[in-house]
mmCIF file of all heavy atoms in Angstrom:
data_model
loop_
_atom_site.group_PDB
_atom_site.id
_atom_site.type_symbol
_atom_site.label_atom_id
_atom_site.label_comp_id
_atom_site.label_asym_id
_atom_site.label_seq_id
_atom_site.Cartn_x
_atom_site.Cartn_y
_atom_site.Cartn_z
ATOM 1 N N TYR A 1 -59.668 100.284 92.534
ATOM 2 C CA TYR A 1 -58.621 101.158 93.074
ATOM 3 C C TYR A 1 -57.691 100.360 93.987
ATOM 4 O O TYR A 1 -58.156 99.604 94.847
ATOM 5 C CB TYR A 1 -59.232 102.311 93.879
ATOM 6 C CG TYR A 1 -60.271 103.098 93.124
ATOM 7 C CD1 TYR A 1 -61.624 102.788 93.246
ATOM 8 C CD2 TYR A 1 -59.906 104.140 92.273
ATOM 9 C CE1 TYR A 1 -62.587 103.493 92.546
ATOM 10 C CE2 TYR A 1 -60.862 104.855 91.568
ATOM 11 C CZ TYR A 1 -62.200 104.521 91.706
ATOM 12 O OH TYR A 1 -63.141 105.221 91.011
ATOM 13 N N ASP A 2 -56.394 100.543 93.821
ATOM 14 C CA ASP A 2 -55.436 99.847 94.679
ATOM 15 C C ASP A 2 -55.468 100.401 96.094
ATOM 16 O O ASP A 2 -55.284 99.675 97.059
ATOM 17 C CB ASP A 2 -54.019 99.985 94.106
ATOM 18 C CG ASP A 2 -53.000 99.240 94.947
ATOM 19 O OD1 ASP A 2 -53.114 98.003 95.050
ATOM 20 O OD2 ASP A 2 -52.103 99.897 95.526
ATOM 21 N N LYS A 3 -55.688 101.709 96.209
ATOM 22 C CA LYS A 3 -55.733 102.346 97.532
ATOM 23 C C LYS A 3 -57.094 103.008 97.745
ATOM 24 O O LYS A 3 -57.563 103.772 96.911
ATOM 25 C CB LYS A 3 -54.627 103.405 97.676
ATOM 26 C CG LYS A 3 -53.223 102.854 97.788
ATOM 27 C CD LYS A 3 -52.218 103.994 98.017
ATOM 28 C CE LYS A 3 -50.816 103.454 98.258
ATOM 29 N NZ LYS A 3 -50.258 102.847 97.064
ATOM 30 N N ILE A 4 -57.723 102.686 98.877
ATOM 31 C CA ILE A 4 -58.926 103.371 99.331
ATOM 32 C C ILE A 4 -58.502 104.192 100.539
ATOM 33 O O ILE A 4 -58.127 103.633 101.575
ATOM 34 C CB ILE A 4 -60.041 102.380 99.700
ATOM 35 C CG1 ILE A 4 -60.458 101.584 98.456
ATOM 36 C CG2 ILE A 4 -61.234 103.092 100.313
ATOM 37 C CD1 ILE A 4 -61.332 100.393 98.765
ATOM 38 N N ILE A 5 -58.526 105.513 100.398
ATOM 39 C CA ILE A 5 -57.935 106.392 101.411
ATOM 40 C C ILE A 5 -59.030 107.214 102.086
ATOM 41 O O ILE A 5 -59.735 107.995 101.435
ATOM 42 C CB ILE A 5 -56.875 107.324 100.785
ATOM 43 C CG1 ILE A 5 -55.789 106.481 100.087
ATOM 44 C CG2 ILE A 5 -56.258 108.234 101.846
ATOM 45 C CD1 ILE A 5 -54.868 107.285 99.197
ATOM 46 N N ILE A 6 -59.180 107.011 103.390
ATOM 47 C CA ILE A 6 -60.146 107.794 104.168
ATOM 48 C C ILE A 6 -59.488 109.126 104.524
ATOM 49 O O ILE A 6 -58.425 109.171 105.140
ATOM 50 C CB ILE A 6 -60.556 107.047 105.449
ATOM 51 C CG1 ILE A 6 -61.180 105.685 105.099
ATOM 52 C CG2 ILE A 6 -61.512 107.888 106.279
ATOM 53 C CD1 ILE A 6 -61.385 104.774 106.291
ATOM 54 N N MET A 7 -60.123 110.217 104.128
ATOM 55 C CA MET A 7 -59.551 111.548 104.340
ATOM 56 C C MET A 7 -60.532 112.358 105.187
ATOM 57 O O MET A 7 -61.447 112.998 104.664
ATOM 58 C CB MET A 7 -59.283 112.229 102.999
ATOM 59 C CG MET A 7 -58.306 113.374 103.066
ATOM 60 S SD MET A 7 -57.642 113.803 101.431
ATOM 61 C CE MET A 7 -58.931 114.836 100.771
ATOM 62 N N ALA A 8 -60.349 112.284 106.510
ATOM 63 C CA ALA A 8 -61.247 112.979 107.430
ATOM 64 C C ALA A 8 -60.477 114.026 108.221
ATOM 65 O O ALA A 8 -59.241 113.979 108.307
ATOM 66 C CB ALA A 8 -61.905 111.980 108.381
ATOM 67 N N ASP A 9 -61.206 114.965 108.805
ATOM 68 C CA ASP A 9 -60.568 116.016 109.600
ATOM 69 C C ASP A 9 -59.842 115.417 110.805
ATOM 70 O O ASP A 9 -60.232 114.364 111.324
ATOM 71 C CB ASP A 9 -61.614 117.017 110.106
ATOM 72 C CG ASP A 9 -62.209 117.839 108.970
ATOM 73 O OD1 ASP A 9 -61.592 117.869 107.891
ATOM 74 O OD2 ASP A 9 -63.286 118.440 109.162
ATOM 75 N N ALA A 10 -58.792 116.116 111.258
ATOM 76 C CA ALA A 10 -57.987 115.639 112.390
ATOM 77 C C ALA A 10 -58.611 116.079 113.701
ATOM 78 O O ALA A 10 -57.986 116.744 114.527
ATOM 79 C CB ALA A 10 -56.563 116.174 112.266
ATOM 80 N N ASP A 11 -59.891 115.705 113.919
ATOM 81 C CA ASP A 11 -60.558 116.030 115.174
ATOM 82 C C ASP A 11 -61.444 114.855 115.566
ATOM 83 O O ASP A 11 -61.431 113.798 114.915
ATOM 84 C CB ASP A 11 -61.370 117.325 115.045
ATOM 85 C CG ASP A 11 -62.440 117.251 113.948
ATOM 86 O OD1 ASP A 11 -62.732 116.128 113.466
ATOM 87 O OD2 ASP A 11 -62.975 118.300 113.565
ATOM 88 N N VAL A 12 -62.212 115.010 116.651
ATOM 89 C CA VAL A 12 -63.017 113.903 117.165
ATOM 90 C C VAL A 12 -64.081 113.474 116.155
ATOM 91 O O VAL A 12 -64.311 112.281 115.938
ATOM 92 C CB VAL A 12 -63.659 114.295 118.516
ATOM 93 C CG1 VAL A 12 -64.649 113.235 118.965
ATOM 94 C CG2 VAL A 12 -62.578 114.485 119.567
ATOM 95 N N ASP A 13 -64.754 114.446 115.501
ATOM 96 C CA ASP A 13 -65.756 114.100 114.488
ATOM 97 C C ASP A 13 -65.131 113.327 113.330
ATOM 98 O O ASP A 13 -65.703 112.359 112.820
ATOM 99 C CB ASP A 13 -66.434 115.370 113.952
ATOM 100 C CG ASP A 13 -67.555 115.845 114.871
ATOM 101 O OD1 ASP A 13 -68.031 115.024 115.668
ATOM 102 O OD2 ASP A 13 -67.926 117.027 114.795
ATOM 103 N N GLY A 14 -63.930 113.777 112.911
ATOM 104 C CA GLY A 14 -63.223 113.074 111.847
ATOM 105 C C GLY A 14 -62.876 111.653 112.246
ATOM 106 O O GLY A 14 -62.998 110.712 111.447
ATOM 107 N N SER A 15 -62.462 111.463 113.498
ATOM 108 C CA SER A 15 -62.146 110.116 113.997
ATOM 109 C C SER A 15 -63.385 109.234 114.013
ATOM 110 O O SER A 15 -63.321 108.039 113.706
ATOM 111 C CB SER A 15 -61.554 110.202 115.407
ATOM 112 O OG SER A 15 -60.338 110.907 115.398
ATOM 113 N N HIS A 16 -64.530 109.827 114.360
ATOM 114 C CA HIS A 16 -65.778 109.052 114.390
ATOM 115 C C HIS A 16 -66.181 108.615 112.983
ATOM 116 O O HIS A 16 -66.576 107.461 112.760
ATOM 117 C CB HIS A 16 -66.895 109.887 115.030
ATOM 118 C CG HIS A 16 -68.131 109.089 115.317
ATOM 119 N ND1 HIS A 16 -69.382 109.648 115.396
ATOM 120 C CD2 HIS A 16 -68.313 107.760 115.520
ATOM 121 C CE1 HIS A 16 -70.273 108.696 115.630
ATOM 122 N NE2 HIS A 16 -69.648 107.541 115.719
ATOM 123 N N ILE A 17 -66.072 109.531 112.022
ATOM 124 C CA ILE A 17 -66.373 109.194 110.623
ATOM 125 C C ILE A 17 -65.462 108.066 110.147
ATOM 126 O O ILE A 17 -65.903 107.101 109.509
ATOM 127 C CB ILE A 17 -66.223 110.439 109.724
ATOM 128 C CG1 ILE A 17 -67.358 111.432 110.018
ATOM 129 C CG2 ILE A 17 -66.221 110.058 108.245
ATOM 130 C CD1 ILE A 17 -67.152 112.805 109.440
ATOM 131 N N CYS A 18 -64.181 108.186 110.492
ATOM 132 C CA CYS A 18 -63.195 107.163 110.124
ATOM 133 C C CYS A 18 -63.579 105.808 110.727
ATOM 134 O O CYS A 18 -63.532 104.776 110.056
ATOM 135 C CB CYS A 18 -61.821 107.613 110.619
ATOM 136 S SG CYS A 18 -60.488 106.571 110.067
ATOM 137 N N THR A 19 -63.995 105.791 111.990
ATOM 138 C CA THR A 19 -64.386 104.555 112.668
ATOM 139 C C THR A 19 -65.610 103.928 112.020
ATOM 140 O O THR A 19 -65.683 102.705 111.842
ATOM 141 C CB THR A 19 -64.666 104.843 114.156
ATOM 142 O OG1 THR A 19 -63.516 105.435 114.739
ATOM 143 C CG2 THR A 19 -65.001 103.570 114.908
ATOM 144 N N LEU A 20 -66.593 104.751 111.657
ATOM 145 C CA LEU A 20 -67.796 104.231 110.992
ATOM 146 C C LEU A 20 -67.459 103.598 109.649
ATOM 147 O O LEU A 20 -67.996 102.540 109.292
ATOM 148 C CB LEU A 20 -68.811 105.368 110.802
ATOM 149 C CG LEU A 20 -69.480 105.907 112.078
ATOM 150 C CD1 LEU A 20 -70.209 107.209 111.791
ATOM 151 C CD2 LEU A 20 -70.445 104.879 112.672
ATOM 152 N N LEU A 21 -66.563 104.230 108.896
ATOM 153 C CA LEU A 21 -66.145 103.673 107.605
ATOM 154 C C LEU A 21 -65.398 102.362 107.782
ATOM 155 O O LEU A 21 -65.629 101.387 107.052
ATOM 156 C CB LEU A 21 -65.278 104.685 106.853
ATOM 157 C CG LEU A 21 -66.020 105.892 106.258
ATOM 158 C CD1 LEU A 21 -65.040 106.970 105.837
ATOM 159 C CD2 LEU A 21 -66.886 105.467 105.061
ATOM 160 N N LEU A 22 -64.496 102.312 108.765
ATOM 161 C CA LEU A 22 -63.733 101.089 109.007
ATOM 162 C C LEU A 22 -64.655 99.959 109.465
ATOM 163 O O LEU A 22 -64.443 98.793 109.114
ATOM 164 C CB LEU A 22 -62.639 101.337 110.046
ATOM 165 C CG LEU A 22 -61.485 102.231 109.595
ATOM 166 C CD1 LEU A 22 -60.508 102.460 110.747
ATOM 167 C CD2 LEU A 22 -60.752 101.641 108.398
ATOM 168 N N THR A 23 -65.687 100.281 110.247
ATOM 169 C CA THR A 23 -66.663 99.263 110.659
ATOM 170 C C THR A 23 -67.391 98.701 109.441
ATOM 171 O O THR A 23 -67.591 97.485 109.323
ATOM 172 C CB THR A 23 -67.679 99.863 111.653
ATOM 173 O OG1 THR A 23 -66.980 100.435 112.760
ATOM 174 C CG2 THR A 23 -68.647 98.810 112.166
ATOM 175 N N LEU A 24 -67.767 99.587 108.510
ATOM 176 C CA LEU A 24 -68.403 99.136 107.263
ATOM 177 C C LEU A 24 -67.483 98.202 106.490
ATOM 178 O O LEU A 24 -67.897 97.111 106.068
ATOM 179 C CB LEU A 24 -68.759 100.346 106.402
ATOM 180 C CG LEU A 24 -69.200 100.048 104.960
ATOM 181 C CD1 LEU A 24 -70.551 99.355 104.940
ATOM 182 C CD2 LEU A 24 -69.231 101.321 104.113
ATOM 183 N N PHE A 25 -66.230 98.613 106.299
ATOM 184 C CA PHE A 25 -65.295 97.787 105.526
ATOM 185 C C PHE A 25 -65.049 96.445 106.212
ATOM 186 O O PHE A 25 -65.008 95.397 105.568
ATOM 187 C CB PHE A 25 -63.956 98.518 105.342
ATOM 188 C CG PHE A 25 -64.059 99.794 104.552
ATOM 189 C CD1 PHE A 25 -63.098 100.793 104.684
ATOM 190 C CD2 PHE A 25 -65.111 100.029 103.697
ATOM 191 C CE1 PHE A 25 -63.184 101.971 103.974
ATOM 192 C CE2 PHE A 25 -65.222 101.207 102.973
ATOM 193 C CZ PHE A 25 -64.255 102.187 103.118
ATOM 194 N N TYR A 26 -64.876 96.476 107.544
ATOM 195 C CA TYR A 26 -64.543 95.251 108.283
ATOM 196 C C TYR A 26 -65.685 94.243 108.253
ATOM 197 O O TYR A 26 -65.465 93.037 108.131
ATOM 198 C CB TYR A 26 -64.174 95.609 109.722
ATOM 199 C CG TYR A 26 -63.804 94.417 110.563
ATOM 200 C CD1 TYR A 26 -62.795 93.543 110.159
ATOM 201 C CD2 TYR A 26 -64.464 94.139 111.763
ATOM 202 C CE1 TYR A 26 -62.451 92.439 110.917
ATOM 203 C CE2 TYR A 26 -64.127 93.041 112.525
ATOM 204 C CZ TYR A 26 -63.125 92.196 112.096
ATOM 205 O OH TYR A 26 -62.786 91.103 112.851
ATOM 206 N N ARG A 27 -66.925 94.736 108.353
ATOM 207 C CA ARG A 27 -68.065 93.819 108.401
ATOM 208 C C ARG A 27 -68.554 93.386 107.020
ATOM 209 O O ARG A 27 -69.036 92.262 106.858
ATOM 210 C CB ARG A 27 -69.227 94.470 109.159
ATOM 211 C CG ARG A 27 -69.000 94.596 110.663
ATOM 212 C CD ARG A 27 -68.659 93.270 111.290
ATOM 213 N NE ARG A 27 -68.681 93.339 112.748
ATOM 214 C CZ ARG A 27 -68.069 92.482 113.536
ATOM 215 N NH1 ARG A 27 -67.368 91.475 113.013
ATOM 216 N NH2 ARG A 27 -68.137 92.593 114.850
ATOM 217 N N PHE A 28 -68.432 94.241 105.996
ATOM 218 C CA PHE A 28 -69.025 93.937 104.692
ATOM 219 C C PHE A 28 -68.013 93.795 103.556
ATOM 220 O O PHE A 28 -68.349 93.277 102.509
ATOM 221 C CB PHE A 28 -70.067 95.003 104.319
ATOM 222 C CG PHE A 28 -71.318 94.914 105.130
ATOM 223 C CD1 PHE A 28 -71.415 95.568 106.337
ATOM 224 C CD2 PHE A 28 -72.376 94.144 104.712
ATOM 225 C CE1 PHE A 28 -72.560 95.474 107.110
ATOM 226 C CE2 PHE A 28 -73.528 94.040 105.464
ATOM 227 C CZ PHE A 28 -73.618 94.701 106.674
ATOM 228 N N MET A 29 -66.780 94.274 103.762
ATOM 229 C CA MET A 29 -65.756 94.150 102.725
ATOM 230 C C MET A 29 -64.391 93.863 103.378
ATOM 231 O O MET A 29 -63.426 94.584 103.161
ATOM 232 C CB MET A 29 -65.678 95.437 101.894
ATOM 233 C CG MET A 29 -66.943 95.752 101.116
ATOM 234 S SD MET A 29 -66.893 97.392 100.334
ATOM 235 C CE MET A 29 -67.997 98.300 101.409
ATOM 236 N N PRO A 30 -64.300 92.820 104.205
ATOM 237 C CA PRO A 30 -63.086 92.615 105.003
ATOM 238 C C PRO A 30 -61.825 92.388 104.186
ATOM 239 O O PRO A 30 -60.725 92.723 104.635
ATOM 240 C CB PRO A 30 -63.421 91.391 105.866
ATOM 241 C CG PRO A 30 -64.529 90.696 105.131
ATOM 242 C CD PRO A 30 -65.309 91.762 104.460
ATOM 243 N N GLU A 31 -61.965 91.825 102.990
ATOM 244 C CA GLU A 31 -60.762 91.571 102.180
ATOM 245 C C GLU A 31 -60.044 92.863 101.812
ATOM 246 O O GLU A 31 -58.832 92.852 101.571
ATOM 247 C CB GLU A 31 -61.124 90.787 100.914
ATOM 248 C CG GLU A 31 -61.346 89.312 101.162
ATOM 249 C CD GLU A 31 -61.521 88.554 99.852
ATOM 250 O OE1 GLU A 31 -60.585 88.550 99.032
ATOM 251 O OE2 GLU A 31 -62.599 87.981 99.644
ATOM 252 N N LEU A 32 -60.768 93.970 101.744
ATOM 253 C CA LEU A 32 -60.119 95.254 101.476
ATOM 254 C C LEU A 32 -59.042 95.527 102.525
ATOM 255 O O LEU A 32 -57.960 96.027 102.207
ATOM 256 C CB LEU A 32 -61.145 96.395 101.495
ATOM 257 C CG LEU A 32 -62.211 96.430 100.394
ATOM 258 C CD1 LEU A 32 -63.128 97.618 100.600
ATOM 259 C CD2 LEU A 32 -61.572 96.473 99.012
ATOM 260 N N ILE A 33 -59.350 95.209 103.781
ATOM 261 C CA ILE A 33 -58.390 95.435 104.868
ATOM 262 C C ILE A 33 -57.344 94.335 104.885
ATOM 263 O O ILE A 33 -56.146 94.605 104.958
ATOM 264 C CB ILE A 33 -59.126 95.505 106.222
ATOM 265 C CG1 ILE A 33 -60.123 96.668 106.218
ATOM 266 C CG2 ILE A 33 -58.122 95.681 107.365
ATOM 267 C CD1 ILE A 33 -60.974 96.778 107.477
ATOM 268 N N TYR A 34 -57.776 93.072 104.804
ATOM 269 C CA TYR A 34 -56.824 91.951 104.881
ATOM 270 C C TYR A 34 -55.768 92.018 103.776
ATOM 271 O O TYR A 34 -54.628 91.619 103.984
ATOM 272 C CB TYR A 34 -57.564 90.612 104.808
ATOM 273 C CG TYR A 34 -58.217 90.205 106.106
ATOM 274 C CD1 TYR A 34 -59.598 90.054 106.197
ATOM 275 C CD2 TYR A 34 -57.466 89.997 107.260
ATOM 276 C CE1 TYR A 34 -60.208 89.694 107.389
ATOM 277 C CE2 TYR A 34 -58.060 89.633 108.456
ATOM 278 C CZ TYR A 34 -59.431 89.486 108.510
ATOM 279 O OH TYR A 34 -60.026 89.139 109.698
ATOM 280 N N GLU A 35 -56.144 92.531 102.599
ATOM 281 C CA GLU A 35 -55.194 92.576 101.489
ATOM 282 C C GLU A 35 -54.526 93.943 101.343
ATOM 283 O O GLU A 35 -53.873 94.227 100.342
ATOM 284 C CB GLU A 35 -55.888 92.157 100.193
ATOM 285 C CG GLU A 35 -56.445 90.734 100.275
ATOM 286 C CD GLU A 35 -56.593 90.071 98.927
ATOM 287 O OE1 GLU A 35 -56.166 90.655 97.911
ATOM 288 O OE2 GLU A 35 -57.157 88.963 98.890
ATOM 289 N N GLY A 36 -54.682 94.799 102.359
ATOM 290 C CA GLY A 36 -53.883 96.023 102.441
ATOM 291 C C GLY A 36 -54.291 97.150 101.519
ATOM 292 O O GLY A 36 -53.449 97.929 101.083
ATOM 293 N N HIS A 37 -55.594 97.275 101.232
ATOM 294 C CA HIS A 37 -56.050 98.334 100.321
ATOM 295 C C HIS A 37 -56.587 99.570 101.046
ATOM 296 O O HIS A 37 -56.881 100.568 100.394
ATOM 297 C CB HIS A 37 -57.140 97.798 99.396
ATOM 298 C CG HIS A 37 -56.668 96.754 98.435
ATOM 299 N ND1 HIS A 37 -55.820 97.029 97.381
ATOM 300 C CD2 HIS A 37 -56.906 95.412 98.386
ATOM 301 C CE1 HIS A 37 -55.569 95.914 96.712
ATOM 302 N NE2 HIS A 37 -56.207 94.915 97.307
ATOM 303 N N VAL A 38 -56.768 99.505 102.355
ATOM 304 C CA VAL A 38 -57.411 100.602 103.089
ATOM 305 C C VAL A 38 -56.363 101.426 103.830
ATOM 306 O O VAL A 38 -55.535 100.889 104.566
ATOM 307 C CB VAL A 38 -58.473 100.074 104.074
ATOM 308 C CG1 VAL A 38 -59.126 101.232 104.828
ATOM 309 C CG2 VAL A 38 -59.533 99.258 103.341
ATOM 310 N N TYR A 39 -56.444 102.743 103.635
ATOM 311 C CA TYR A 39 -55.481 103.664 104.254
ATOM 312 C C TYR A 39 -56.233 104.820 104.912
ATOM 313 O O TYR A 39 -57.373 105.124 104.551
ATOM 314 C CB TYR A 39 -54.530 104.249 103.203
ATOM 315 C CG TYR A 39 -53.611 103.241 102.566
ATOM 316 C CD1 TYR A 39 -54.066 102.386 101.561
ATOM 317 C CD2 TYR A 39 -52.273 103.144 102.954
ATOM 318 C CE1 TYR A 39 -53.220 101.457 100.960
ATOM 319 C CE2 TYR A 39 -51.421 102.222 102.360
ATOM 320 C CZ TYR A 39 -51.899 101.385 101.366
ATOM 321 O OH TYR A 39 -51.057 100.475 100.789
ATOM 322 N N ILE A 40 -55.567 105.453 105.869
ATOM 323 C CA ILE A 40 -56.099 106.672 106.482
ATOM 324 C C ILE A 40 -55.115 107.798 106.213
ATOM 325 O O ILE A 40 -53.914 107.670 106.512
ATOM 326 C CB ILE A 40 -56.299 106.492 108.001
ATOM 327 C CG1 ILE A 40 -57.315 105.380 108.274
ATOM 328 C CG2 ILE A 40 -56.760 107.803 108.642
ATOM 329 C CD1 ILE A 40 -57.425 104.990 109.727
ATOM 330 N N ALA A 41 -55.591 108.878 105.591
ATOM 331 C CA ALA A 41 -54.730 110.038 105.333
ATOM 332 C C ALA A 41 -54.452 110.757 106.644
ATOM 333 O O ALA A 41 -55.289 110.775 107.549
ATOM 334 C CB ALA A 41 -55.411 110.984 104.339
ATOM 335 N N MET A 42 -53.276 111.356 106.744
ATOM 336 C CA MET A 42 -52.866 112.071 107.952
ATOM 337 C C MET A 42 -52.696 113.554 107.637
ATOM 338 O O MET A 42 -51.589 114.013 107.343
ATOM 339 C CB MET A 42 -51.554 111.475 108.491
ATOM 340 C CG MET A 42 -51.625 110.000 108.830
ATOM 341 S SD MET A 42 -52.793 109.649 110.147
ATOM 342 C CE MET A 42 -51.982 110.466 111.502
#
């Protein structure tokens, strides 16, 4: 997939889920972020 889009609720729990996912990507799949494939839906 060209775009991996995190779609979480616009509240504190949603922000926490988003942070946990970004930590996973950054530590185990960093190229996804470096090459611009990770997005957060608003």
Side-chain angles (χ1 to χ4, degrees):
Y1 307 94
D2 182 62
K3 289 184 175 68
I4 297 168
I5 303 168
I6 301 170
M7 199 162 82
D9 292 342
D11 59 14
V12 172
D13 278 340
S15 297
H16 190 206
I17 290 167
C18 187
T19 303
L20 290 167
L21 287 167
L22 291 177
T23 305
L24 169 69
F25 297 157
Y26 181 55
R27 289 305 190 200
F28 288 87
M29 296 172 255
E31 282 187 62
L32 293 179
I33 299 176
Y34 282 118
E35 300 205 6
H37 294 291
V38 180
Y39 294 79
I40 298 171
M42 301 297 294

